[in-house]
Amino acid sequence: MNPPEPDILRQTRRHFLSRASAGVGAMALASLGHGRVGPADDAARSVARMAPHFAPKAKRIIYLFQSGGPSQLDLFDHKPALQERNGQELPDSVRQGQRLTGMSGNQASLPMAGAQFKFERHGECGMWVSELLPRTAAIVDDLCFVRSMQTEAINHDPAITFLQTGSELAGRPSMGAWVSYGLGTENRDLPAFVVLMTKDKGGQPLYSRLWGSGFLESRLQGVQMRAGRDPVLYLANPEGIDRARRRRMLDRITGLDAAQHAQAQDPEIHSRLAQYELAYRMQMSVPEVTDLSDESDATFELYGEDARVPGTYAANCLLARRLAERDVRFIQLYHQGWDQHGGLPAGIRVQARETDQASAALVTDLKRRGLLEDTLVVWGGEFGRTNYSQGALTPTDYGRDHHPRCFTMWMAGGGVKPGVVHGRTDELGYNVVEHPVHVHDLQATLLHQLGLDHTRLTHHHQGRDFRLTDVHGRVVRDLLI
């Protein structure tokens, strides 16, 4: 039997150099008065190792993701010509041979379907908004509308993955993970990236990889907060374990992990320990931030009575504001149910009723508290809906299929221009005809507002540099103050 090799012989050149540089860095930090540099401290620092590339306009993002693909034609993109030609066949000159999904591509007819809802102009900007969204209509002068969004994916999972990670293929880091990688956290007692999902909603499934860290370190992934007694799973101590015993256990694990890292040189060892330490601190911070009992009746009236029910969209919007107050860097909300292939008039009413008041209240509340100027709020889904009816078109009912060629999103605060309508679609709402904004352009613009150059926020993996926007994207400066 051969004797075990010494550690030095099992190290690659990369491991040796990284270990040597880490040691030099630790001595330098200690000489500057930082004291002992342990693995957890080192890992926590590495989260914030990158400063903004330039002065940011926003400190944080609240992303209100409307999963399923809201119909822009029934909410924001008013098309009188489509209503006038209701029931007529979609012209080939408009479709231009573009692909359709298998759900409507085999239909013998593609009858155009005008919105069955009234539109009016609102605010000084004169933005057209459907009667479905009266609360949103009341704050249009605080919003920046992008009517010319475009994506490449035509089905839900790749489209959502594309918006959240910059790639249609699963496995890339999410936008929140990239932001955490680039900027770190301003509150060591809470995650830099928090995920909130409306409870008891059906629709397209949402997988944890949408807020995952991909090939970045695992501590950069989003932390999901849920409704119920335990907002974060497995955070509470089990019966018989008090906080002092938990502290002793973590101190012992710190020593063991340090020994393991010295041998294996795996950065995930420090990442795992950093998550243990954050969880220990979250045992105190999470119950405080999720306790809405100190909110006033006026606040609940603003967000709606649903805000008193944990896990509702309204409650999550209110919780998002509380997280923003505590400097959480990226707050991701998901609300399912916008996928109306049939029965759209009834289905979209439900969605609007669940989200309109709370979305507008969040913007209003942030503005009142002086937080909107450095908080960027984003509202939108993964694609739009077709201007023709999927299935039978009747005087009272219709459905709409997926449509990647154009859809509408809005933003507020964080250095974007208020009261602006950017981009335009054709008179039938099928193609963008002015100022197209690709998904990668949106991602580049959001990073820019946080002070990050999307071309420089990279991570070397499997032989090349990766970034959120891949090799694409431009900052849409027309949207910015």
Side-chain angles (χ1 to χ4, degrees):
M1 180 174 179
N2 296 326
E5 294 178 332
D7 284 351
I8 189 67
L9 296 181
R10 290 200 295 266
Q11 293 184 33
T12 65
R13 182 177 64 174
R14 180 179 298 173
H15 285 161
F16 172 77
L17 292 174
S18 65
R19 185 177 184 181
S21 63
V24 172
M27 289 188 290
L29 284 170
S31 69
L32 291 173
H34 289 277
R36 182 182 66 84
V37 182
D41 298 321
D42 202 28
R45 276 194 197 90
S46 68
V47 177
R49 62 188 174 276
M50 296 176 66
H53 298 131
F54 43 81
K57 293 293 182 68
K59 292 182 178 179
R60 65 196 71 85
I61 288 177
I62 301 176
Y63 197 145
L64 309 176
F65 192 84
Q66 311 300 314
S67 176
S71 171
Q72 76 283 2
L73 295 168
D74 297 276
L75 298 174
F76 301 115
D77 203 359
H78 182 41
K79 296 299 175 185
L82 187 61
Q83 292 173 314
E84 293 169 5
R85 299 175 66 175
N86 187 70
Q88 296 181 23
E89 192 70 12
L90 175 67
D92 291 339
S93 60
V94 173
R95 180 184 167 189
Q96 300 174 6
Q98 295 170 19
R99 63 176 175 162
L100 307 178
T101 75
M103 293 173 285
S104 65
N106 295 323
Q107 287 185 193
S109 175
L110 299 175
M112 292 186 289
Q116 293 186 1
F117 306 101
K118 296 178 181 178
F119 278 75
E120 291 185 5
R121 289 187 180 272
H122 294 271
E124 294 183 7
C125 66
M127 175 65 184
W128 288 99
V129 180
S130 164
E131 62 180 325
L132 291 170
L133 302 175
R135 303 301 182 102
T136 301
I139 64 163
V140 290
D141 287 330
D142 292 321
L143 307 182
C144 176
F145 289 89
V146 182
R147 280 182 177 160
S148 52
M149 285 299 305
Q150 294 182 324
T151 186
E152 296 173 16
I154 200 170
N155 289 311
H156 292 286
D157 188 72
I160 297 173
T161 305
F162 193 36
L163 260 164
Q164 301 289 277
T165 72
S167 171
E168 295 182 50
L169 301 178
R172 299 283 183 89
S174 60
M175 190 186 311
W178 277 113
V179 170
S180 300
Y181 170 74
L183 297 175
T185 181
E186 291 188 318
N187 185 339
R188 67 189 299 270
D189 295 329
L190 285 169
F193 179 16
V194 171
V195 176
L196 305 170
M197 189 181 302
T198 306
K199 68 175 184 178
D200 301 330
K201 290 292 292 183
Q204 295 300 319
L206 298 173
Y207 306 101
S208 59
R209 59 175 167 77
L210 297 173
W211 53 91
S213 57
F215 46 70
L216 300 177
E217 293 180 56
S218 60
R219 56 190 163 76
L220 300 172
Q221 66 188 316
V223 174
Q224 185 178 355
M225 291 189 179
R226 296 167 165 82
R229 186 178 65 180
D230 295 318
V232 178
L233 296 181
Y234 314 117
L235 187 64
N237 289 325
E239 187 176 349
I241 302 295
D242 60 18
R243 191 163 175 79
R245 180 173 291 187
R246 175 70 69 183
R247 181 66 266 166
R248 291 195 299 271
M249 182 191 75
L250 289 176
D251 290 342
R252 178 59 177 157
I253 291 175
T254 297
L256 294 173
D257 279 6
Q260 185 183 15
H261 185 270
Q263 181 181 33
Q265 297 295 308
D266 184 354
E268 274 299 307
I269 296 171
H270 283 180
S271 186
R272 181 177 58 202
L273 183 57
Q275 292 177 82
Y276 293 163
E277 292 288 353
L278 175 59
Y280 178 76
R281 298 190 296 273
M282 285 169 60
Q283 289 181 331
M284 303 299 290
S285 62
V286 167
E288 184 274 331
V289 73
T290 57
D291 181 4
L292 307 184
S293 63
D294 59 348
E295 296 290 344
S296 67
D297 288 339
T299 298
F300 286 114
E301 184 178 350
L302 177 65
Y303 283 85
E305 284 303 305
D306 276 356
R308 298 183 185 273
V309 182
T312 61
Y313 182 79
N316 285 345
C317 283
L318 178 52
L319 180 54
R321 189 221 75 207
R322 293 172 65 89
L323 291 166
E325 288 178 310
R326 290 156 180 79
D327 289 317
V328 172
R329 183 77 70 181
F330 200 97
I331 305 158
Q332 176 77 64
L333 276 68
Y334 291 99
H335 185 79
Q336 296 163 289
W338 289 98
D339 189 27
Q340 281 103 33
H341 290 273
L344 185 145
I348 201 169
R349 283 189 176 96
V350 173
Q351 293 299 108
R353 185 169 60 249
E354 291 175 342
T355 60
D356 177 43
Q357 181 173 356
S359 297
L362 176 60
V363 174
T364 300
D365 203 9
L366 291 170
K367 186 177 181 180
R368 288 177 181 175
R369 296 168 186 266
L371 288 168
L372 188 60
E373 63 183 38
D374 60 8
T375 303
L376 180 55
V377 182
V378 183
W379 185 103
E382 64 267 36
F383 42 52
R385 313 302 295 200
T386 56
N387 68 349
Y388 62 82
S389 178
Q390 178 180 341
L393 172 65
T394 74
T396 59
D397 197 20
Y398 54 95
R400 298 192 190 276
D401 203 356
H402 310 164
H403 191 58
R405 298 302 301 168
C406 57
F407 60 107
T408 299
M409 297 182 68
W410 61 253
M411 295 180 283
V416 300
K417 292 178 180 177
V420 167
V421 180
H422 181 84
R424 184 168 61 88
T425 58
D426 62 47
E427 66 174 2
L428 298 178
Y430 199 88
N431 294 299
V432 172
V433 296
E434 188 175 277
H435 304 313
V437 177
H438 188 271
V439 166
H440 284 137
D441 300 334
L442 173 71
Q443 293 162 341
T445 304
L446 298 184
L447 292 179
H448 180 273
Q449 294 308 93
L450 293 171
L452 294 170
D453 181 344
H454 72 106
T455 66
R456 295 165 60 191
L457 183 65
T458 63
H459 181 82
H460 196 75
H461 176 66
Q462 293 184 340
R464 78 169 178 96
D465 288 339
F466 283 82
R467 67 189 207 212
L468 174 63
T469 54
D470 198 28
V471 296
H472 310 284
R474 61 180 179 87
V475 176
V476 187
R477 299 190 181 275
D478 288 345
L479 302 178
L480 310 180
I481 297 174

